[in-house]
Amino acid sequence: MFRVGGTVPVMDPTQATREVFWNIEYTWLVYVLMVPTLAVFGWGFWLKIRRWRSGQPALRFDRPGERLQLFLRNAVGQGRTIKRRYAGLFHTLVYTGFIVLFLATTVVAIHHDTPLHIMKGHFYLIFQSLIVDIFGLFVLVGVALAAIRRWISKPKLLVYTDEASWILVTIFVMALTGFMIEGWRIAVTDDPWAAWSPIGNLFALGSDPWMTDTAMQRGHVIIWWFHLVVAFGWIAWVPFSKMSHVFTAPLNIFTANLDGYGGSLKTIDFETAERFGINHLGDFTWKDLLDFDACTECGRCTDVCPANTVGKSLSPRDIILDLQGLMHKRGDEFLGSRAGNGNGDGGNGSGELLPIIDQKTAVSPEALFACTTCAACMEACPVHIEQMPKIVDARRYLVMEEADFPEGMMDMMNSLESRQHPFAGTQFSRVDWTEGLDIDVMAEMDDPHEAEVLMWVGCGGALVERNRNTVRATAKLLKKAGVKFAILGREESCTGDPARRVGNEFLFEMLAKGNVETMERYGVRKVVTSCPHCFNSFRNEYPHFGGSYEVYHHTQFLDQLLESGRLDGNGAGGRSNGSSTITFHDPCYLGRHNGEYDAPRNLLAQVGGARQVEMERSRNTSFCCGGGGGMAFVDEPPDQRVNQERAQEAVDTGADVVAVGCPFCATMLDDGVNARRGDRDVQVRDVAELLWDAVGDSEEAAP
């Protein structure tokens, strides 16, 4: 019998093709089996869609152009998935392999079941033979790499279930049996085009010495039907397994929040809301319910979570999976009564509600209040699940419905209610920091509209002693640049950010509306602040309450002043600030929440005699200082302090100065660096302080 080697016989390639159902009888059974397969597949996804539609309304199909770009980048292009090299590699191999194999199957169906006989000629040789073989090999290699990771390496971020193992086994079996079928067909038929199917041809050459034609034909029939049954069974199983993410994840990416993490928290209509916050399935939006089904169990969110890193009980992945399990187990009972009308109430028809907050699950009060709201989990998630807003929504229920929250947060909120700032023990006033600087206060100006900008000082800048140098340096830089600015002074109140992140939405709205009213009275239109939390509130949250401003973080505004020439940086490079190396800590609410990474670094480039080095986790992968989400006011266990974890990373760079752009970061890292620096002299200083040292008048340089 003639056996094909590695060369193509001299034949007309335009005639190249193959028989679709070679060696197979009763082919009508394929179509008979396909009907229940597709019926179960469709029924499974209809159950999911039915549950999603029972959630509360959410606008997630607006701005289709932006959504399409996001979809192409992170669903089709796998932009986030490939950031983890090993996992990204095997996932890309399997993902692209499946797409090509699906297209090949579609080509076969069109060729066999329609008058369009397209599986022939060069298209058959190049795509249907060579490319399909290569991508089929990708699937085998990808599954093998995934198996090594799951069964041998066993990283702690994964969820280890029998289902996940069976998925790998099933995919591997489908790909392997596909090559076996192809190889035995090539061998028995002496396929003259075998060299165009390199992997199938290897199976043919490997089988030839020890199998007769009859054995290969019989094996071909058995494996062909086995392959079909496994493939159809897998298709029917997809909606009920983790593999449903093949469909739910792209949909979740398309319907992701386009307004950034800083604007991701929902407002509450206190006049119509039945409950404040979320503690029941029916309180979630349909997008939240879709999030639960989109989870791939990859564990990246938990792996980057600051609280989890230092040993706290918070695991964003487990919160999502526990809610997913609850929805799958009892969702039909508690969501089905109103399924389809987008008006679920979380009840089961008799008024009984299904709580989601439970000490025995990952959605425990202890875990919820460990969150710093840094949004690292959302940045890391390859399918754009929104973990942090769900945590805040659950906090809202505990705070506003149950009055249940940590003692430090209680003291902070009591101070906000009584003194309009969160620092219960401070002895400073809002204007003490201005001593000797001759700063305009809007209430004392003849015409407040003359102020080019409002300098929003913030509680952390005005009322914490170690941060007063920051706002003083910022003010002196603005003066040096000739910027006409003013402050609100004693009329300034907390923006409400700590209250909102802890879960007291009512207190946040009260403070926000009060500030908007004050700023409207003075005609404020441009705001500069050194606090990223205030910056985020003004930029993303105050517009909901009628406060629309042109908002700048102080590093952004100072960078513009340098670039425009209003602030003279000439000669700054020659003035040494006494440090040799600076590392910058990206504040979560400036960087990850609002996308600003370059302005602080541009300013640090003006600091003479200093070299910038980056921490291992920087920019959008920056690690939180531990102060967000109200955690700056909580006394953490000594062995579970996020600020010390970050401080150690800063110290490990060898930098003399840890530069910050946030008063909370300054306070948290000051404490952390002092605990981790050893005998070294490492300072924590705001970018504005360092810049003033570099470009300020020598006789006025900050100490």
Side-chain angles (χ1 to χ4, degrees), residues 31-49:
Y31 303 95
V32 171
L33 293 173
M34 187 184 298
V35 172
T37 297
L38 296 180
V40 173
F41 177 87
W43 176 66
F45 274 107
W46 167 244
L47 291 179
K48 291 183 180 295
I49 295 170

Side-chain angles (χ1 to χ4, degrees), residues 526-553:
K526 185 182 292 187
V527 180
V528 175
T529 178
S530 59
C531 178
H533 295 263
C534 299
F535 170 73
N536 180 72
S537 294
F538 286 128
R539 185 180 191 223
N540 298 307
E541 298 175 335
Y542 273 38
H544 294 291
F545 305 99
S548 295
Y549 315 105
E550 188 179 343
V551 188
Y552 296 91
H553 185 251

Side-chain angles (χ1 to χ4, degrees), residues 87-102:
L89 173 61
F90 73 69
H91 190 275
T92 300
L93 291 174
V94 175
Y95 160 72
T96 55
F98 255 86
I99 291 176
V100 171
L101 293 176
F102 172 77

Side-chain angles (χ1 to χ4, degrees), residues 101-360:
L101 293 176
F102 172 77
L103 292 176
T105 303
T106 303
V107 168
V108 170
I110 293 172
H111 178 82
H112 185 268
D113 298 324
T114 75
L116 301 174
H117 301 302
I118 60 175
M119 196 176 70
K120 61 182 180 180
H122 289 96
F123 174 74
Y124 168 73
L125 294 176
I126 296 172
F127 176 77
Q128 201 72 4
S129 298
L130 180 60
I131 292 177
V132 169
D133 256 37
I134 292 172
F135 279 86
L137 179 62
F138 283 180
V139 173
L140 287 176
V141 173
V143 170
L145 292 174
I148 291 171
R149 182 171 182 251
R150 179 166 292 275
W151 298 335
I152 299 176
S153 301
K154 296 184 177 180
K156 65 178 183 178
L157 76 163
L158 294 184
V159 176
Y160 293 91
T161 61
D162 291 340
E163 180 192 88
S165 296
W166 276 113
I167 287 173
L168 291 180
V169 170
T170 304
I171 295 175
F172 190 84
V173 166
M174 286 192 293
L176 181 64
T177 53
F179 282 125
M180 292 171 67
I181 293 166
E182 181 182 45
W184 289 337
R185 176 191 60 78
I186 289 172
V188 174
T189 61
D190 290 333
D191 188 346
W193 309 105
W196 289 92
S197 303
I199 313 303
N201 196 30
L202 284 177
F203 272 86
L205 295 172
S207 301
D208 190 25
W210 57 277
M211 292 182 71
T212 64
D213 277 7
T214 302
M216 283 189 278
Q217 277 187 275
R218 289 175 179 171
H220 176 274
V221 172
I222 295 171
I223 296 301
W224 195 97
W225 284 108
F226 175 74
H227 174 87
L228 181 81
V229 170
V230 170
F232 279 10
W234 184 80
I235 291 170
W237 181 41
V238 161
F240 307 96
S241 72
K242 174 185 171 182
M243 280 305 300
S244 63
H245 81 271
V246 171
F247 300 94
T248 57
L251 177 59
N252 207 54
I253 292 171
F254 185 83
T255 57
N257 178 19
L258 297 178
D259 294 323
Y261 309 136
S264 61
L265 299 184
K266 300 188 289 286
T267 57
I268 295 177
D269 187 341
F270 287 99
E271 294 183 2
T272 62
E274 295 182 18
R275 290 176 294 276
F276 303 145
I278 288 180
N279 189 28
H280 307 285
L281 278 181
D283 293 333
F284 286 113
T285 68
W286 66 263
K287 175 59 170 64
D288 293 323
L289 302 179
L290 171 59
D291 272 358
F292 303 153
D293 273 330
C295 182
T296 65
E297 303 177 8
C298 69
R300 296 188 189 194
C301 55
T302 293
D303 191 47
V304 299
C305 174
N308 190 271
T309 298
V310 297
K312 295 180 182 179
S313 59
L314 174 60
S315 170
R317 175 201 63 199
D318 293 343
I319 286 177
I320 297 299
L321 290 180
D322 279 3
L323 292 173
Q324 178 197 88
L326 189 66
M327 180 178 69
H328 288 175
K329 184 181 294 184
R330 304 192 67 184
D332 290 338
E333 177 185 355
F334 283 87
L335 295 172
S337 61
R338 296 188 180 183
N341 65 3
N343 193 26
D345 62 359
N348 63 354
S350 63
E352 181 187 0
L353 296 170
L354 181 65
I356 63 169
I357 303 173
D358 189 337
Q359 287 283 7
K360 299 178 182 178

